[in-house]
Amino acid sequence: MVVAVSLGVNIQSVLVLLTASSGIALIQEKQAVVLDLGTDYTKFGFTGEAAPRCIVRSEFWCPATRRVRRLHDYSSAAELYDNLVHMLHQLYFRHVLVNPKERKVVVVESLLTPTLFRETLAKVLFIHYEVSGVVWADSPRLCALTLGAPVVLVVSIGAKDVEVAAVVHSCVVLHALQSQPLGSHAVHAELARMLDEHNGGPLHLDDQVIEDIKVKTCFVTSRARALAWESDSPPRAARDVRYGRVTVPGRARELAAEPLFRRDHEQSSLPDAVLQCVAASPRDCRRALAAGILLTGGGAALPGLRARLAAELRQLVTQPPYCDTLHVREFKFHDAPSAANACAWLGGAVLGAGEAGAARAMPRDQFARAPRLRDWVCLLDNTPPGHPHRDHLDI
């Protein structure tokens, strides 16, 4: 009060300002948190913000074994429960320093997340940490939400898998969903093989070292150079670089990402997955999907990936079996509004900041009455109430 009088400030106005500032602080304290538990990296932060507060590896210090343990390394539901408890404790109390009881949670998940993982995560959030409510949101629709476009083809290149989903007017075309084991780990395995071959023996490099080499030295070569490498007269390789005591040859730098585009008899390459998703989508939205491709995930950050994928799509669509079913010749890509690995998290932050996201949250008392989550793969959830088979599903 003395300071206010000496400065000539009205006491009533000071009280108003203090009340307003405390109200703003109270609102900020009750912001929901957005949780994206990836296979390799976890994104965690608050709704309404443009970027996560932390992006950390999906691992924690296990006090029982006295070593660092990966979140997704588990063999039973009880082991997964303990992993999630330790991981969330690290996120809440070390990285963002908030009380989990006071905040709702927006969980960003893949459409192919195992049911055991979803239900165990729900038990940890509702029972162990006693959060007030949880919103479960799939990553394809969250990625499309960041663009505001009605039709988006989301190509997510994760750690283990590549998922291609068609989002049409905020709905995922489930029967067109494609998934292939062509994530970043496939690139890491190819890079490790080529490094061992060049250095004359197994180097036994750690996974984090392989990832660091990929991020700092590798890129996706053009389609013409990739075809030239398979011919009898290979082109001149890129410059060799040194990574510590390891020599990274130019050939490995160029061709480490080739498993994403290597075709086989089952048509399981990345361009095949994109075209198969477009072909399985409704006819009236195929051109819009081809003109609205969004690359997300940590693997999408490789330099030259977008140009190479566009060239492969333009060439592949003119060949059987796509030339007879797909009459699309133009492919365009969206620029992600954030880093490729945080695009789904940003969609969760946008969803949780609005009133619609808060309304979709499952409260803790509802989960206590019926500890079960809705799942699109379960007939109990996707069968209409009036369907004749509905009575036989109620168990």
Side-chain angles (χ1 to χ4, degrees), residues 154-312:
V154 181
V155 181
S156 177
I157 305 176
K160 290 185 176 181
D161 302 318
V162 168
E163 296 179 12
V164 185
V167 181
V168 181
H169 297 288
S170 301
C171 295
V172 181
V173 185
L174 290 177
H175 65 270
L177 181 65
Q178 303 292 325
S179 178
Q180 296 291 343
L182 298 174
S184 298
H185 289 182
V187 180
H188 297 172
E190 179 70 8
L191 178 60
R193 184 193 66 81
M194 299 182 75
L195 289 177
D196 293 343
E197 179 182 344
H198 178 76
N199 289 273
L203 299 176
H204 302 292
L205 298 177
D206 188 72
D207 293 339
Q208 297 186 19
V209 175
I210 293 292
E211 182 184 4
D212 197 37
I213 293 175
K214 181 200 71 173
V215 171
K216 293 181 177 179
T217 66
C218 294
F219 59 94
V220 181
T221 189
S222 64
R223 185 175 185 275
R225 287 184 61 86
L227 294 176
W229 276 109
E230 298 178 358
S231 64
D232 296 333
S233 56
R236 182 179 178 181
R239 181 174 59 89
D240 297 352
V241 296
R242 293 283 298 178
Y243 182 89
R245 298 180 179 180
V246 179
T247 300
V248 183
R251 181 173 178 271
R253 296 177 59 201
E254 284 192 65
L255 303 182
E258 285 307 301
L260 302 179
F261 307 98
R262 191 173 298 147
R263 302 191 68 193
D264 54 15
H265 296 291
E266 297 182 357
Q267 300 176 352
S268 58
S269 66
L270 174 59
D272 282 300
V274 174
L275 293 180
Q276 289 168 9
C277 182
V278 175
S281 301
R283 291 178 178 270
D284 57 346
C285 63
R286 292 177 183 176
R287 292 185 182 274
L289 288 172
I293 303 175
L294 176 64
L295 290 176
T296 65
L302 273 174
L305 178 63
R306 180 190 296 189
R308 174 68 182 278
L309 180 58
E312 294 286 348

Side-chain angles (χ1 to χ4, degrees), residues 88 142 146:
L88 291 178
L142 293 180
T146 62

